[in-house]
Amino acid sequence: MLAQLDSLKTEALAALAAAQDESTLEAVRVNFLGKKGSVTALSQNMREVPADQKKDVGAKLNDVRTAITDGIESKKLALQAALDAKAVEGIDITLPGRPGTGNGALHPLTQIRDLAIRTLRRLGFILAEGPEIETEFHCFDALNTPADHPARNEKDTFYLPDGRLLRTHTSSVQIRTMEAAKSLPIRIIAPGAAYRRDEIDATHLSVFNQLEGLYVSNDVSLADLKGTLEAFFREIFGPNTAVRFRPHFFPFTEPSFEIDVKLEAKGKDARWIEIAGCGMVDPAVFTAVNQSRGDNLFDPETTTGFAFGLGLDRLAMILHSITDIRHLIENDVRFLQQFAA
Amino acid sequence: MQVSLSWLSTHLDLSSYSVAQLSDLLTFAGVEVEGIVERGVTTDKVVVAQIDSFVQHPNADKLSVCQVNDGSGTPRQIVCGAKNFKAGDKVPLALPGAVLPGGFTIKEGKLRDVASLGMMCSGKELGLGDDHAGLLILSPDSPIGTPFNQLNPADVLFDLEITPNRPDLLSHLGLARELSALTGIPLKGQRDYTKTSTPTKLETSNLKLETPSACPLYTARLIKGVKVGPSPEWLRRRLESIGLRPINSIVDITNFVMMEMGQSLHCFDLDKLNGSIVVRNASEGEQMLALDGQTYTLQADDLVIADQKRAVAIAGVMGGEETGVTEATTSILLEAAYFTPSNIRRTSRRLGLSSDSSYRFERGIDPQQVAGGSELATKLILEIAGGTADDVLLVAGETPVLTSEITLDDDRARKLLGTPDLSSDEIRSILTKLGLTHQNGRWTVPSYRADLQRPVDLIEEIARVIGLDRVPSKMTAVAVPSDATDRAYDFAMTIRQALVNRGCFEAQTLRLIADAQLPDTLGGGTGVAVKNPLSEDHTTLRPSIIPGLIATAALNIRQGTDRLRFFELGRVFLKLPNGNSREEERLAILISGPVSPSSWHARTPQAADIHELMGIITNLPGLSRVSIEPKAVKESPANFLLTSELRAGNRNLGWIAQLHPSRARDISARHPVYVAELLLSALRQGSTGPAKFEELPRFPGMTRDVAMEVPADLPHAKVAAFFASQKEPLFIASEVFDVFTDPTGQKIAKDRKSIAWTLTYRSPEKTLETAEVDAAHTSILSALEKSLPATVRR
């Protein structure tokens, strides 16, 4: 009996080894362990086994059963593994991925503007806006620009037949915001388009993009302006960027400064690049706003503020080494693709 | 403005400053240095030499062999290629060892076998101007052997941008005064020219001022017996050094005085004047031939200088040709005046005529220096052109006082500057250095600083002098509540990102478009025309973004791009019937060509159709819970087909259309082009507020498909509307899953189409029995056949 069991075990394991699919495995199970299987048949003869051998035979029977069951199970896993391996055979993972609709790209100006906005929002500025078709009051008068200032003539500024104009800077949003304000402080940034009557060439557009900033409260100082704008430009150009403020003149700020940042150009020494204008809001601007509002919320004796403005097109050109500003309005997809995320 | 360092140095000793240091000093004083040019030579090895004789070079047609006298006593042989000299001319000679500008070293050598012991120089070779026509011929009285830099010292030219608030810096004296204040180096020599020369009697006379508001002060001095000729070397050199062309001694002197002290002058030929001078407004249409040879037609608000017959100068802008000083002039009337800036600016701008003179008057000159300018010019005229000056200075009007006393609260200055440590002593010292005087708590401003009117103007001066390095960097954190503009911006960025993820490229096109682009407008509306466009390509503020996107498509098609997926977010401008205008933010999309980039998966993917564009739109942020109904517009604009308004309930979201094939052919499109323009504010309405959670269904639903035949022109929306209106409580959703037509008419009649829908049934209370679903489905189908021209296939 023991010998019979050994030979059944050998026979079963050979059959398992030869099995190539799951149905053969099932047949092996039925042949040996099924109700009429050969191992089952032998086990039914247990009662005829002499008592002193029962223990050994019983153990052997169990051993054979386990060996066959385990063999079937592991063969099953092996077959499945082979099938799974076969399923990925021939797949070349080095091929390019399926593109779907592909990805587009944000316009570089949008990206720069968003970077500037995110940075300034972290510094506590909120967004503001105003019309691009403006009155002379909002674009010039209220910004302390004399009636015969050169910027106001028809050679430099687009006018509408009704006397309104296309704003020459986003600074008009300063006035709009202060006119509508209910209380201080004001801490806004206003990205937007501005217009100047310039022929379009490699460095000029007649419609361009600016970002204006204004902070007005009762204790704003030049130190706030300096700290805020240094922080801003270091976020944009890197934490070690040198920033300098040169005295300048703008009608609507006093004192006024131009801001340079020191940037390395490829293969050249680092150079100071003019990047923005800024200054402390001129009291005459507060006076004009008060007159327009009909109150004294912006008391020129106690209210102070700083304002700044920068050209986003120029910023994009500097950051991306774009040599011709017209790329920004042509929207050649080969250009736009270079700015994909 | 061009400024000469050697000229500046006549006013103060700047030798302890390098050019770079001076440049920084000016920059941080608010004067932008736009260029620096170093001129002339510093070496002693360029000397004055005289060409004694010359002969043709034996081996070269274009060269001469010259014998020159360099003052050493030994004649020197030089081979020279220039032709513009004759024997006896004096020229600069670079001796061997001399280093010329650009680092070029002169050596002894042979030219075509003939020895040449140095080089005779052109102006350009010495860093003097661009004239390369030949040798620089020196004045005959130049002493032979003298180092050239003694006669013509090396100089540095600064090209400065003077801001409009600082007219006092538009002269060498003015800049010297500023540099003296900044460096502490004292000014030397004459500062106040009113105390110069000839005895002066101020006298109101037969000069007549009709318009004291435009010309508060006018002075004239008569000088007789002058001899007009070329200016002396020093004067010509001064003018040439800053790029002015010498004309004759009188004109040169007036130019010199202007560049020296900022007072613009004019000289009339006294013999050509008819009677006494009147300063008056022009008569309407009055004409005058100016010194530039042009005839100008004047208006009543233009100020002129006139004699008893006619206008002889456009005041402050340009003199008249007929009364100008020429070589034949013997008597002159020297004008020095103060003209009101706004008048000069208006006239200059209107005539398109600008001069060094108008540039200064329109910014504002120092009224206290008017007489001084006249004095200095008189002195120089007498020295250079001879003659006798009247000892009477004719004066009309009064010296205007443009400055007033200012009270400065030092605390306010400290607060505005953010410099609590700035002492009052330091403030006083800064302002005093700048020429202000302090008395009884008030500051008196010098006459040349009329830009200083208010306390804040003084604070600006302090900031300028101490520089921003002195100011600490401070950061103030302020919490300001965000508002609708912030939310609109965030929403727009979400839209942009969604479209980028869908494969679209963001364009930014110019808001000013051409009239010819207006037919590409989608959504109606008229743009706003500009009164003074720069060119016919940019005449109108766009009423729609689509014209810009079509131009973008055209450009990219020209570059060979087949697959167009563009969008733009931006403002459009709509003219309103009442003449006003409205500005509105919109989103425009343009698609054409393959739905996906070509790849090994699909070499030529199918081309976009209008359903792809509709799919892009329905997947936009803000529209996920909005059902969009396209409604064909009655008259599609000529450049479009299929134009439909996109509606959500009674709200207009925008428009969708196919670009008309004929317009698409215009731009050489290889595939149909589809466009849409949406109102950003309408999209945003669908995305307000946080979404509300709805309990998930606890019991499974069951579906039943229905296939039906309907007329080919029955819109999908009609069927969808039918299902949406069903009140059967178990029926909860429907979706179209097939649309079939057969243009050949074989499988289904040409005027019919087969559509198939899946209907879903579910109860919130229990798992439905088949019979319950069947009953509900049957009732829906019978209602369907009653309501729509549909035959259900059973």
Side-chain angles (χ1 to χ4, degrees):
Chain A
M1 183 106 169
L2 285 173
Q4 266 179 303
L5 278 169
D6 275 333
S7 92
L8 274 181
K9 180 180 172 185
T10 312
E11 199 185 321
L13 292 182
L16 282 179
Q20 286 306 315
D21 54 36
E22 211 160 326
S23 60
T24 318
L25 283 184
E26 180 60 13
V28 171
R29 194 190 63 79
V30 171
N31 285 344
F32 291 88
L33 303 179
K35 276 182 186 162
K36 292 175 183 167
S38 38
V39 177
T40 317
L42 267 185
S43 71
Q44 277 157 4
N45 296 339
M46 244 336 242
R47 51 191 125 86
E48 292 155 28
V49 175
D52 59 338
Q53 289 177 28
K54 268 198 169 135
K55 197 179 164 201
D56 287 348
V57 173
K60 182 58 126 192
L61 201 58
N62 263 339
D63 167 55
V64 171
R65 271 210 189 97
T66 310
I68 297 173
T69 312
D70 288 358
I72 291 172
E73 212 38 55
S74 66
K75 183 69 184 193
K76 224 185 224 172
L77 289 174
L79 282 177
Q80 187 59 51
L83 277 179
D84 291 347
K86 196 165 170 108
V88 298
E89 225 172 58
I91 292 180
D92 181 358
I93 199 173
T94 64
L95 277 169
R98 203 185 302 275
T101 60
N103 263 341
L106 292 175
H107 194 281
L109 267 175
T110 297
Q111 300 189 36
I112 287 286
R113 182 168 50 221
D114 195 49
L115 173 63
I117 288 174
R118 277 184 282 132
T119 306
L120 289 162
R121 277 178 160 182
R122 280 200 295 279
L123 300 178
F125 288 84
I126 63 163
L127 287 168
E129 62 177 355
E132 291 171 26
I133 299 176
E134 261 301 3
T135 63
E136 288 213 47
F137 174 78
H138 291 93
C139 195
F140 293 128
D141 297 333
L143 288 162
N144 198 30
T145 311
D148 51 7
H149 191 276
R152 299 176 77 141
N153 72 38
E154 289 193 7
K155 213 170 104 240
D156 298 318
T157 299
F158 290 114
Y159 281 87
L160 301 186
D162 64 9
R164 288 181 300 163
L165 49 80
L166 306 191
R167 69 180 181 198
T168 57
H169 45 200
T170 44
S171 304
S172 53
V173 183
Q174 290 185 28
I175 306 303
R176 293 273 173 191
T177 305
M178 287 193 275
E179 278 179 340
K182 297 199 169 61
S183 61
L184 300 184
I186 288 172
R187 198 165 164 95
I188 56 116
I189 45 173
Y195 301 76
R196 274 178 211 169
R197 221 166 154 274
D198 280 333
E199 292 283 357
I200 295 176
D201 61 25
T203 52
H204 296 91
L205 292 178
S206 49
V207 188
F208 51 97
N209 295 277
Q210 287 190 327
L211 184 128
E212 189 80 12
L214 176 72
Y215 174 34
V216 176
S217 189
N218 283 322
D219 51 1
V220 182
S221 74
L222 198 53
D224 292 304
L225 174 147
K226 186 185 175 194
T228 307
L229 292 179
E230 277 175 349
F232 172 63
F233 284 114
R234 286 182 183 141
E235 286 273 329
I236 302 281
F237 291 106
N240 299 319
T241 308
V243 181
R244 72 177 191 186
F245 295 77
R246 271 185 292 109
H248 197 71
F249 171 76
F250 303 109
F252 39 94
T253 50
E254 185 158 64
S256 305
F257 299 88
E258 282 188 332
I259 305 175
D260 301 336
V261 290
K262 199 167 198 177
L263 297 178
E264 315 236 348
K266 222 192 273 175
K268 285 183 193 158
D269 289 340
R271 280 196 312 137
W272 290 107
I273 310 272
E274 181 187 323
I275 197 85
C278 64
M280 303 303 293
V281 178
D282 194 298
V285 174
F286 292 140
T287 305
V289 167
N290 285 336
Q291 272 169 15
S292 166
R293 293 172 58 97
D295 65 12
N296 199 35
L297 179 63
F298 298 88
D299 182 351
E301 289 303 311
T302 54
T303 312
T304 53
F306 71 70
F308 61 93
L310 56 121
L312 291 172
D313 312 82
R314 188 174 153 73
L315 192 58
M317 290 177 76
I318 292 169
L319 271 180
H320 297 298
S321 310
I322 297 168
T323 46
D324 189 325
I325 200 170
R326 287 169 292 198
H327 283 305
L328 294 174
I329 55 164
E330 277 175 357
N331 304 298
D332 188 321
V333 77
R334 297 167 303 172
F335 171 81
L336 297 173
Q337 232 151 17
Q338 298 183 25
F339 304 95
Chain B
M1 185 181 68
Q2 299 283 326
V3 172
S4 148
L5 178 58
S6 101
W7 193 335
L8 269 183
S9 301
T10 62
H11 292 294
L12 80 174
D13 179 5
L14 291 168
S15 55
S16 54
Y17 282 81
S18 70
V19 171
Q21 283 170 326
L22 278 176
S23 171
D24 274 359
L25 195 63
L26 290 165
T27 300
F28 287 100
V31 179
E32 200 167 335
V33 179
E34 296 192 318
I36 299 176
V37 180
E38 302 197 31
R39 311 192 72 172
V41 289
T42 46
T43 174
D44 288 343
K45 291 188 171 167
V46 178
V47 300
V48 177
Q50 186 166 35
I51 303 171
D52 288 336
S53 64
F54 62 96
V55 295
Q56 169 77 45
H57 190 293
N59 306 327
D61 290 349
K62 292 189 172 167
L63 298 178
S64 309
V65 180
C66 311
Q67 302 302 323
V68 305
N69 173 4
D70 62 8
S72 64
T74 318
R76 186 177 278 272
Q77 177 171 298
I78 306 285
V79 177
C80 174
K83 293 281 175 218
N84 66 323
F85 58 85
K86 55 187 190 301
D89 277 350
K90 289 181 179 170
V91 296
L93 170 69
L95 299 170
V99 181
L100 299 187
F104 178 51
T105 306
I106 302 299
K107 294 185 193 119
E108 291 186 9
K110 283 185 175 176
L111 275 167
R112 296 274 183 124
D113 300 330
V114 177
S116 182
L117 309 176
M119 183 177 90
M120 299 189 288
C121 303
S122 68
K124 191 180 180 189
E125 282 158 345
L126 298 176
L128 301 168
D130 291 333
D131 184 10
H132 206 270
L135 301 182
L136 179 65
I137 307 295
L138 302 174
S139 140
D141 54 10
S142 310
I144 292 167
T146 314
F148 180 74
N149 64 12
Q150 282 182 22
L151 297 177
N152 205 334
D155 198 357
V156 179
L157 277 185
F158 292 98
D159 186 5
L160 302 181
E161 188 205 331
I162 308 288
T163 53
N165 59 327
R166 294 301 303 273
D168 62 303
L169 300 183
L170 292 171
S171 70
H172 285 82
L173 176 62
L175 267 171
R177 200 161 48 202
E178 182 76 4
L179 286 169
S180 169
L182 295 171
T183 59
I185 299 172
L187 284 178
K188 57 188 181 190
Q190 199 82 45
R191 287 173 65 172
D192 182 358
Y193 286 102
T194 45
K195 303 179 187 80
T196 312
S197 60
T198 49
T200 297
K201 208 157 45 169
L202 296 179
E203 190 171 281
T204 310
S205 69
N206 51 351
L207 265 182
K208 200 169 158 208
L209 271 191
E210 285 188 0
T211 53
S213 66
C215 176
L217 174 66
Y218 192 94
T219 75
R221 185 188 296 274
L222 309 182
I223 304 173
K224 292 177 181 159
V226 298
K227 193 171 177 317
V228 181
S231 295
E233 175 92 18
W234 72 264
L235 178 52
R236 281 191 290 137
R237 208 186 302 136
R238 277 273 177 259
L239 296 179
E240 279 170 342
S241 77
I242 57 167
L244 289 180
R245 192 169 52 91
I247 310 225
N248 63 46
S249 52
I250 302 297
V251 174
D252 292 352
I253 287 167
T254 58
N255 279 336
F256 173 82
V257 171
M258 175 168 65
M259 295 303 177
E260 163 73 359
M261 53 182 282
Q263 173 65 47
S264 177
L265 305 165
H266 185 68
C267 283
F268 295 99
D269 186 327
L270 189 57
D271 295 332
K272 292 180 186 157
L273 292 177
N274 296 291
S276 61
I277 291 281
V278 188
V279 184
R280 59 162 169 86
N281 281 330
S283 47
E284 193 69 35
E286 186 169 5
Q287 294 201 323
M288 201 202 77
L289 175 63
L291 276 169
D292 63 357
Q294 307 282 318
T295 298
Y296 293 93
T297 305
L298 306 173
Q299 292 181 354
D301 58 357
D302 294 325
L303 190 68
V304 296
I305 314 301
D307 61 14
Q308 295 302 309
K309 279 194 169 167
R310 64 200 158 151
V312 293
I314 305 169
V317 181
M318 194 168 279
E321 173 71 23
E322 292 168 17
T323 52
V325 172
T326 65
E327 304 276 325
T329 300
T330 56
S331 299
I332 56 181
L333 183 150
L334 170 66
E335 163 197 297
Y338 179 90
F339 298 112
T340 304
S342 54
N343 280 66
I344 303 299
R345 203 177 298 153
R346 190 173 53 229
T347 296
S348 159
R349 203 130 289 142
R350 194 177 57 72
L351 298 177
L353 177 61
S354 175
S355 61
D356 283 332
S357 169
S358 68
Y359 191 81
R360 282 163 178 76
F361 282 123
E362 70 184 30
R363 281 163 177 76
I365 61 161
D366 177 1
Q368 291 291 346
Q369 284 292 350
V370 172
S374 182
E375 289 299 333
L376 176 60
T378 304
K379 171 174 171 274
L380 290 172
I381 289 170
L382 297 183
E383 275 172 23
I384 291 168
T388 324
D390 245 8
D391 61 358
V392 176
L393 180 65
L394 304 172
V395 178
E398 278 175 23
T399 305
V401 177
L402 306 171
T403 56
S404 52
E405 291 186 332
I406 304 173
T407 306
L408 176 67
D409 173 356
D410 291 356
D411 280 335
R412 186 170 166 184
R414 285 186 274 266
K415 207 175 153 209
L416 189 76
L417 298 174
T419 51
D421 62 330
L422 183 70
S423 71
S424 290
D425 280 349
E426 198 175 350
I427 290 175
R428 216 158 294 157
S429 144
I430 289 166
L431 294 178
T432 307
K433 270 196 295 187
L434 290 169
L436 284 80
T437 48
H438 195 241
Q439 231 175 4
N440 304 327
R442 291 198 198 147
W443 287 99
T444 304
V445 177
S447 60
Y448 51 85
R449 289 303 303 273
D451 61 312
L452 305 181
Q453 297 286 347
R454 305 166 299 169
V456 68
D457 299 328
L458 299 189
I459 296 174
E460 173 174 52
E461 290 302 293
I462 298 164
R464 205 165 60 82
V465 172
I466 64 175
L468 240 57
D469 286 347
R470 250 305 278 285
V471 176
S473 298
K474 194 176 143 199
M475 279 277 273
T476 316
V478 186
V480 185
S482 68
D483 70 359
T485 312
D486 279 281
R487 290 187 288 276
Y489 175 78
D490 291 337
F491 179 72
M493 282 307 286
T494 315
I495 294 259
R496 285 188 173 99
Q497 199 55 60
L499 286 163
V500 165
N501 295 347
R502 182 81 195 228
C504 300
F505 288 89
E506 186 188 12
Q508 295 208 359
T509 61
L510 277 193
R511 287 148 149 83
L512 281 171
I513 62 173
D515 286 352
Q517 287 177 277
L518 290 173
D520 288 341
T521 295
L522 191 61
T526 323
V528 178
V530 168
K531 180 177 147 201
N532 55 337
L534 203 51
S535 78
E536 60 179 24
D537 292 337
H538 309 289
T539 56
T540 304
L541 285 166
R542 62 184 183 189
S544 159
I545 302 174
I546 299 294
L549 285 190
I550 291 175
T552 297
L555 176 126
N556 280 280
I557 290 166
R558 279 201 301 279
Q559 305 296 348
T561 306
D562 204 28
R563 183 168 184 261
L564 308 173
R565 294 292 183 283
F566 289 108
F567 72 96
E568 179 173 349
L569 259 91
R571 209 168 274 201
V572 301
F573 304 82
L574 302 167
K575 189 159 188 166
L576 302 177
N578 64 5
N580 283 343
S581 50
R582 191 174 77 229
E583 301 179 22
E584 179 172 285
E585 300 293 327
R586 289 196 185 170
L587 162 67
I589 307 172
L590 177 147
I591 67 170
S592 176
V595 293
S596 62
S598 81
S599 73
W600 61 277
H601 302 279
R603 182 86 184 280
T604 46
Q606 69 179 108
D609 56 18
I610 200 156
H611 306 297
E612 182 191 342
L613 182 53
M614 193 62 93
I616 291 174
I617 293 169
T618 48
N619 283 313
L620 282 174
L623 296 183
S624 54
R625 283 181 289 279
V626 173
S627 123
I628 302 175
E629 303 142 42
K631 208 178 136 205
V633 303
K634 282 216 178 78
E635 273 179 66
S636 198
N639 282 4
F640 301 97
L641 291 175
L642 292 175
T643 310
S644 302
E645 202 180 306
L646 298 173
R647 302 197 65 86
N650 54 8
R651 178 155 55 102
N652 176 26
L653 295 177
W655 302 266
I656 189 169
Q658 178 179 349
L659 190 62
H660 198 286
S662 69
R663 179 74 182 109
R665 281 190 292 273
D666 281 351
I667 60 169
S668 309
R670 285 177 287 274
H671 303 281
V673 179
Y674 302 94
V675 293
E677 185 152 309
L678 304 167
L679 313 175
L680 226 45
S681 60
L683 295 188
R684 257 187 80 202
Q685 281 184 29
S687 76
T688 46
K692 287 278 177 268
F693 170 70
E694 225 173 75
E695 276 304 333
L696 302 180
R698 291 170 56 206
F699 301 99
M702 289 176 89
T703 60
R704 291 287 183 274
D705 290 351
V706 52
M708 60 189 117
E709 247 184 54
V710 296
D713 61 358
L714 180 73
H716 163 84
K718 280 255 161 85
V719 185
F722 164 78
F723 285 127
S725 68
Q726 294 310 296
K727 301 280 190 276
E728 165 58 52
L730 299 181
F731 172 52
I732 56 150
S734 61
E735 189 182 16
V736 65
F737 70 89
D738 190 42
V739 177
F740 177 78
T741 54
D742 183 4
T744 65
Q746 286 170 353
K747 292 185 174 154
I748 184 167
K750 281 190 210 167
D751 61 349
R752 308 282 286 171
K753 65 183 172 189
S754 168
I755 57 177
W757 286 69
T758 290
L759 311 186
T760 306
Y761 299 88
R762 181 162 52 220
S763 160
E765 280 137 21
K766 58 173 185 165
T767 303
L768 289 177
E769 303 289 333
T770 305
E772 289 173 294
V773 174
D774 288 346
H777 190 58
T778 308
S779 85
I780 298 253
L781 294 191
S782 65
L784 172 67
E785 280 179 320
K786 272 182 211 136
S787 311
L788 293 175
T791 315
V792 174
R793 278 201 235 126
R794 290 193 163 88

